[in-house]
Amino acid sequence: VREFEERLAEASDRAHALAFCNATSALIAGMKASGIGGGDEVIVPSFTHSADPNSVAAAGATPAFADVDEGSLCLSVETIGRALTERTKAILFVSLYGNVSRLEDIVMYAREHSLLLINDCAPALYGSYKGRSIASYGDFSVLSFFADKTITTGEGGMLLSDDTALIEESSIYKHDGRRERGHDLIERVGYNFRMTEMQAAIGVAQLGRIDEFIARKKENQEAYVERLTDLPEVSVFRFNPESDPVPHRTLIFVPEAAPLIEHMTSNGIGVRTTFMPMHSQPCYQTGEVFPVTEKLHSTGVCLPSAPALTVDQIDFICHTIRSFYASRGTAC
């Protein structure tokens, strides 16, 4: 675990890294260590994974949902500003699918409004923005090593920060309220959020193949762009040109996602929709309207993008998309 932490801190341009059983637990511990709790609001995009608002709630605070910028799929200063209240304590920025918006503007906005900036860059390992690691932004950031991430330990996460006190406090929450395993003094009501040595060993081994994984993810993205650019019904999502991303997934936007997904699935291709808006999930149901988020969900499709994909498989996927629109008389 120590080796894995050291390797990821260096890769992310961070002073410290602390391994967790998953990225959700890293978010919870980091927020509690930052003093976020009852009475506080944390601005979080509605267009995200449930782990983000759920971790805010688990820390005792209230998720305040915001719309996203359509071009980046991420929070922007404008969307953050519309969600800001006197109870806002932090911004939870999400590097959705490995992409970012103008991070320097969001850093400045958080500083000007005395807000904590949390960076959920779970799928953005080894991605950079303006020559700087995406994971280096924010008071703390988190990475995920779930099965579909750039490297995987099956389950697993990492909290990264330059703040020594935040890391030490997070470690207490991680280790059942103790500063470290083997200590008997319970200083906080904590959790067992540890990563196992076996998981970390897999992570270290995966780092030995990181160049291969990154190259294949980028090649997959470009292969889809080359094969689908001329199809008028399909827009392949382009990542921020000021960044050097490692694409988490290849996204396309089409007039209606549901019928295409049904067609692809019936042909044995594992595609999925984009994230269902969190503000409309049964456990939240805020009644708010976020038009960009709702549009992205109804029109977005995530294509297979694993490093193990072959050229023939990508050809088949793209042929199946083209045949769907050809059958509707809208493409040849």
Side-chain angles (χ1 to χ4, degrees):
V1 170
R2 293 288 184 260
E3 180 180 353
F4 193 41
E5 290 171 338
E6 290 168 5
R7 297 274 295 271
L8 267 297
E10 181 179 2
S12 302
D13 300 326
R14 286 290 199 178
H16 309 288
L18 190 64
F20 281 78
C21 55
N22 51 54
T24 306
S25 60
L27 282 169
I28 294 168
M31 281 190 270
K32 291 180 75 69
S34 300
I36 295 171
D40 296 329
E41 290 181 352
V42 177
I43 295 173
V44 57
S46 180
F47 193 51
T48 191
H49 190 277
S50 59
D52 292 301
N54 287 352
S55 62
V56 173
T62 301
F65 293 110
D67 210 348
V68 294
D69 169 66
E70 188 169 355
S72 68
L73 316 181
C74 301
L75 291 175
S76 67
V77 167
E78 290 73 25
T79 63
I80 292 167
R82 292 197 289 270
L84 186 70
T85 73
E86 61 182 16
R87 295 174 57 193
T88 304
K89 182 73 173 282
I91 300 164
L92 204 175
F93 182 86
V94 180
S95 302
L96 205 71
Y97 301 118
N99 197 46
V100 293
S101 51
R102 293 183 56 84
L103 280 171
E104 71 275 29
D105 292 348
I106 293 172
V107 169
M108 184 63 67
Y109 186 92
R111 187 175 298 142
E112 289 173 351
H113 290 81
S114 301
L115 301 174
L116 294 165
L117 178 57
I118 303 162
N119 178 9
D120 177 1
C121 53
L125 177 61
Y126 285 94
S128 64
Y129 174 71
K130 293 190 173 182
R132 176 178 161 185
S133 169
I134 291 172
S136 69
Y137 287 85
D139 291 278
F140 72 86
S141 53
V142 299
L143 296 168
S144 170
F145 311 115
F146 183 65
D148 62 353
K149 300 301 190 293
T150 306
I151 63 169
T152 181
T153 57
E155 287 276 8
M158 192 75 71
L159 186 152
L160 305 117
S161 182
D162 300 319
D163 185 337
T164 302
L166 186 148
I167 290 290
E168 290 177 349
E169 187 73 7
S170 298
S171 185
I172 293 173
Y173 284 110
K174 165 185 168 177
H175 288 292
D176 304 294
R178 301 172 289 180
R179 291 194 173 270
E180 182 60 90
R181 292 186 70 185
H183 288 230
D184 292 326
L185 188 64
I186 307 300
E187 302 178 50
R188 307 279 185 277
V189 175
Y191 314 90
N192 177 0
F193 281 162
R194 291 184 292 274
M195 172 183 278
T196 67
E197 296 294 330
M198 184 179 296
Q199 287 173 297
I202 293 169
V204 170
Q206 290 256 302
L207 287 173
R209 301 181 62 191
I210 190 62
D211 291 341
E212 172 194 348
F213 295 154
I214 291 172
R216 290 294 302 126
K217 295 284 276 186
K218 291 183 176 182
E219 288 166 6
N220 288 346
Q221 173 77 10
E222 288 308 308
Y224 281 120
V225 170
E226 291 171 4
R227 289 158 175 77
L228 296 173
T229 295
D230 67 330
L231 192 58
E233 294 80 9
V234 175
S235 174
V236 182
F237 177 71
R238 303 297 184 101
F239 288 76
N240 189 328
E242 295 184 296
S243 69
D244 181 13
V246 179
H248 172 44
R249 291 190 183 133
T250 294
L251 296 175
I252 61 172
F253 290 96
V254 297
E256 290 183 274
L260 177 61
I261 290 173
E262 182 179 357
H263 175 74
M264 302 289 279
T265 302
S266 69
N267 280 274
I269 299 170
V271 298
R272 63 176 66 182
T273 183
T274 53
F275 292 119
M276 180 177 172
M278 287 297 114
H279 71 279
S280 63
Q281 292 280 14
C283 63
Y284 292 110
Q285 287 288 359
T286 66
E288 296 166 288
V289 176
F290 297 125
V292 174
T293 293
E294 289 155 18
K295 176 184 175 182
L296 293 172
H297 173 62
S298 66
T299 61
V301 179
C302 299
L303 300 180
S305 54
L309 275 179
T310 66
V311 172
D312 286 346
Q313 288 171 326
I314 293 176
D315 284 341
F316 175 67
I317 293 164
C318 293
H319 172 75
T320 306
I321 295 171
R322 300 181 80 90
S323 68
F324 172 75
Y325 288 108
S327 69
R328 294 189 158 201
T330 58
C332 57

